[in-house]
Amino acid sequence: SAVISQKPSRDICQRGTSLTIQCQVDSQVTMMFWYRQQPGQSLTLIATANQGSEATYESGFVIDKFPISRPNLTFSTLTVSNMSPEDSSIYLCSVEDRRTYEQYFGPGTRLTVT
Amino acid sequence: GDSVTQMEGPVTLSEEAFLTINCTYTATGYPSLFWYVQYPGEGLQLLLKATKADDKGSNKGFEATYRKETTSFHLEKGSVQVSDSAVYFCALSSFDGNEKLTFGTGTRLTIIP
């Protein structure tokens, strides 16, 4: 299974600012995913990021709010822009093993917006 | 679209009790089915999976069988331990060009000694 790290692990940010979350994988992967887990809720997919192409966003999520970069096969970033308290969540990246179709998750970034 | 309906929690059981967490799904085609577990203060971990009808996934004493006729993937364990206390998520992945996971709402399980 892939080993995934995320930075930062947590942050407290002020309303109106932006935060960029980094996701690093220890192996090359084609597809990376970004999820949001709001307090006490399940996980919701924000977008799918393939290397070399624009990210594909799910309904309710837009690029201006959650811009994503995928510069190579082991790294991706998610930016949460112009934050509001409603953005307070855990943000997780995941990767898929194309041989087994299993997805592995990073430890998450706990974001609190005040 | 795809959806997963999961037994609502929280669930509290005594140690060594039998556990069932119900999960049913709606999907086009033939999805793969997963159970993920989130232990307190930890990240999401894959617990088990099944990729086709009648497959049984198993791990750490947990089992779940892919039932196409009832569109279900119920999680079971014969004798739970305090260390099984966690939040359990049922999920599916449809192979429609985007292998995203669709999650259920999660079930918080607490095992008391």
Side-chain angles (χ1 to χ4, degrees):
Chain A
S1 64
V3 177
I4 305 168
S5 60
Q6 285 184 234
K7 290 181 182 180
S9 59
R10 59 178 61 225
D11 208 342
I12 301 173
C13 301
Q14 290 194 344
R15 181 196 301 259
T17 62
S18 298
L19 176 72
T20 296
I21 302 167
Q22 300 178 7
C23 179
Q24 179 77 51
V25 189
D26 69 343
S27 58
Q28 293 185 339
V29 294
T30 302
M31 300 178 76
M32 296 180 76
F33 305 86
W34 286 98
Y35 289 83
R36 181 175 73 180
Q37 186 178 18
Q38 293 179 299
Q41 304 296 315
S42 187
L43 285 81
T44 302
L45 181 67
I46 297 171
T48 302
N50 289 342
Q51 194 270 335
S53 63
E54 294 289 325
T56 302
Y57 289 83
E58 295 298 301
S59 176
F61 298 96
V62 296
I63 187 171
D64 289 346
K65 176 66 175 177
F66 297 101
I68 288 171
S69 77
R70 184 77 204 276
N72 58 52
L73 290 174
T74 63
F75 188 78
S76 178
T77 66
L78 169 76
T79 299
V80 186
S81 303
N82 188 24
M83 288 184 286
S84 67
E86 292 71 35
D87 295 320
S88 297
S89 294
I90 299 173
Y91 292 85
L92 303 101
C93 68
S94 75
V95 302
E96 184 188 58
D97 184 328
R98 297 304 293 262
R99 297 166 300 167
T100 63
Y101 301 109
E102 296 172 4
Q103 279 194 28
Y104 299 97
F105 286 79
T109 296
R110 183 179 295 272
L111 171 62
T112 302
V113 183
T114 60
Chain B
D2 296 346
S3 67
V4 176
T5 302
Q6 196 174 330
M7 175 179 173
E8 289 194 20
V11 174
T12 302
L13 295 173
S14 297
E15 203 166 21
E16 299 183 1
F18 183 86
L19 168 71
T20 300
I21 301 178
N22 290 336
C23 172
T24 58
Y25 67 90
T26 302
T28 54
Y30 303 97
S32 288
L33 302 173
F34 306 86
W35 278 99
Y36 281 84
V37 59
Q38 191 171 38
Y39 296 104
E42 298 186 17
L44 205 62
Q45 302 175 25
L46 177 63
L47 180 60
L48 54 84
K49 71 172 186 181
T51 57
K52 61 183 186 294
D54 300 324
D55 266 3
K56 177 185 284 187
S58 61
N59 187 23
K60 299 182 180 180
F62 290 89
E63 293 182 342
T65 301
Y66 189 143
R67 300 289 188 198
K68 185 170 179 291
E69 63 276 12
T70 55
T71 62
S72 64
F73 193 55
H74 305 321
L75 183 68
E76 297 182 336
K77 186 173 186 182
S79 177
V80 292
Q81 306 300 313
V82 172
S83 58
D84 295 325
S85 298
V87 181
Y88 293 82
F89 293 93
C90 185
L92 69 82
S93 176
S94 289
F95 298 103
D96 56 359
N98 181 1
E99 288 82 2
K100 69 174 185 179
L101 285 172
T102 300
F103 284 87
T105 53
T107 301
R108 181 175 298 278
L109 173 66
T110 301
I111 307 300
I112 54 177

